[in-house]
Amino acid sequence: MITLLSHLSYVALVSPDVEASVDFYVKKVGLTEVARKDGRVYLRCWGDYYTYSLVIEHGEEPALATMAWRTSSAEALEEAVSRIEAAGVTGEWFDGLDIGRAYQFVGPWGHSMTLHWDARHFRFEEGEHASVFPDRPQKRSKVAGAPRYLDHVTICASDVDAFAEWYSEVLGYRIMARTVLEDVPLSVFSVITTNEKSHDLGIVLDGSSRSGRVNHFAFWVDTREEMLIAADTLIEDGVHIEYGPTIHGIGEQSFLYYREPSTMRIELNTGGYRNYVPDWEPNTWKTSQGSYDIYQNGTMHASLSESFPLTDGPSATEEGITEEVRDQLVAGSSSDR
Ligand SMILES: [Fe+2]
């Protein structure tokens, strides 16, 4: 298969209070608001190469509105759409802000995905955000530890392996790794990628009855030191760090989690390996091998099983699950599949 997708370009999120979320992203995360259109607010990290990487729109519950990937060419966009439709899924074309003609569809597990080739190569040419460096689209944020780029998104699906296989077969994602429970061959987490990163799309097992949920999305900072400064700054700003800073086993990134006012989980992420192997065979981890946290000395936080929109049902987390949630997921997996 030709390479269809190049990388994650933006994530659109639903917030019950758009202004509170936008204020948080601007003042506490260090993003820049670049546009408002049709009720949506468009934001960018200082290093993003296109106009925006985060869109906030209004809705009753925190949720994923869509996740967008840029294709590798105009022809790849057409090929991706024909492969999606050959797989029995039909989407719609629309004209997006600075992305031209784009295709949006809802995948088999209920997640909206947007594909586009056109993209504005963004740069502040003048004014307070203009950088002195030719390669920088924008001056570095003055918020300490502000992320440079959008990094990845992690969604929830009722069958982790089937999700990974569908996106691999239809759109060419490489499946990089998976985590199974200690005593049951049930996949609770997997990572897939369109490029050399360990993942730009994560999948956690969802035992709830709602489809299309999201567990978190992630920004990139250049160094672990910047991430630690971000953690320090967030705490000084009254933001609770939900987990971390520590290091994932899968991907080997340093990371931490916190929440924005909608309760949506944000990850800060840096480091880890690059993998360029085109015929990579995914390894299977067990949670006891440190797939989630290589140090394995943190307390399991029940809040990490919360995904969005919130439901009464459990989802797994990347580190595994509590005993209660485990029992529900194992029971659900045998009846739902
Ligand atoms: Fe993540």
Side-chain angles (χ1 to χ4, degrees):
M1 189 195 299
I2 63 164
T3 301
L4 296 176
L5 307 184
S6 55
H7 61 95
L8 178 69
S9 56
Y10 71 88
V11 169
L13 301 175
V14 176
S15 171
D17 187 338
V18 170
E19 294 310 324
S21 290
V22 168
D23 191 64
F24 184 91
Y25 284 111
V26 170
K27 292 180 180 165
K28 299 196 175 181
V29 183
L31 271 54
T32 304
E33 180 183 326
V34 284
R36 289 185 179 232
K37 188 180 179 191
D38 300 330
R40 297 184 175 91
V41 183
Y42 296 79
L43 300 140
R44 54 174 288 105
C45 302
W46 62 269
D48 283 324
Y49 293 113
Y50 309 138
T51 310
Y52 53 91
S53 61
L54 179 65
V55 183
I56 305 294
E57 61 183 66
H58 180 262
E60 294 301 309
E61 305 171 286
L64 177 70
T66 195
M67 47 187 177
W69 266 261
R70 192 173 185 212
T71 62
S72 58
S73 66
E75 296 74 24
L77 175 58
E78 300 301 327
E79 174 66 16
V81 170
S82 28
R83 292 181 64 87
I84 291 162
E85 297 190 344
V89 175
T90 304
E92 291 186 345
W93 291 96
F94 71 102
D95 285 317
L97 180 67
D98 286 353
I99 59 168
R101 182 171 170 263
Y103 186 81
Q104 193 167 88
F105 69 98
V106 176
W109 285 268
H111 303 88
S112 170
M113 180 177 272
T114 300
L115 303 179
H116 62 99
W117 162 244
D118 290 334
R120 178 184 170 197
H121 289 208
F122 186 88
R123 180 176 167 82
F124 282 107
E125 296 294 349
E126 57 187 21
E128 61 170 324
H129 296 303
S131 173
V132 298
F133 301 118
D135 285 343
R136 276 195 193 168
Q138 177 178 347
K139 188 183 289 182
R140 179 184 289 274
S141 170
K142 289 185 170 55
V143 174
R148 186 171 191 138
Y149 318 106
L150 177 67
D151 190 75
H152 68 264
V153 58
T154 292
I155 57 78
C156 312
S158 58
D159 188 328
V160 168
D161 291 339
F163 183 104
E165 282 156 19
W166 192 90
Y167 283 81
S168 175
E169 287 169 11
V170 176
L171 291 171
Y173 286 82
R174 285 187 301 153
I175 303 173
M176 306 306 289
R178 61 203 277 268
T179 304
V180 300
L181 294 179
E182 292 298 311
D183 53 346
V184 181
L186 176 63
S187 290
V188 293
F189 180 61
S190 184
V191 282
I192 63 178
T193 190
T194 56
N195 51 47
E196 76 275 11
K197 292 196 301 188
S198 65
H199 66 299
D200 53 11
L201 182 53
I203 310 145
V204 296
L205 180 62
D206 196 347
S208 81
S209 58
R210 288 184 79 160
S211 62
R213 297 207 300 157
V214 62
N215 184 265
H216 66 268
F217 76 106
F219 294 117
W220 172 269
V221 291
D222 285 344
T223 65
R224 181 168 167 84
E225 288 69 29
E226 278 187 81
M227 193 189 68
L228 299 179
I229 289 169
D232 191 313
T233 306
L234 287 164
I235 291 170
E236 294 262 44
D237 272 348
V239 179
H240 172 64
I241 306 294
E242 187 180 21
Y243 194 95
T246 182
I247 302 175
H248 284 312
I250 290 180
E252 298 184 21
Q253 299 103 331
S254 295
F255 74 100
L256 61 82
Y257 291 129
Y258 60 109
R259 306 283 195 104
E260 59 114 308
S262 75
T263 73
M264 181 64 69
R265 182 177 297 106
I266 302 168
E267 179 177 8
L268 281 186
N269 203 275
T270 186
Y273 53 70
R274 293 286 183 265
N275 180 315
Y276 302 87
V277 182
D279 55 353
W280 179 252
E281 291 291 333
N283 289 309
T284 296
W285 292 62
K286 292 198 169 179
T287 51
S288 61
Q289 294 174 304
S291 57
Y292 176 78
D293 183 338
I294 62 166
Y295 302 117
Q296 303 180 69
N297 58 2
T299 304
M300 171 68 195
H301 299 271
S303 69
L304 290 167
S305 68
E306 290 178 0
S307 293
F308 310 94
L310 295 170
T311 71
D312 294 333
S315 74
T317 73
E318 292 175 33
E319 76 172 312
I321 43 186
T322 61
E323 280 302 306
E324 181 186 7
V325 170
R326 175 202 175 284
D327 292 344
Q328 292 177 60
L329 286 171
V330 171
S333 73
S334 54
S335 60
D336 292 349
R337 286 200 205 188

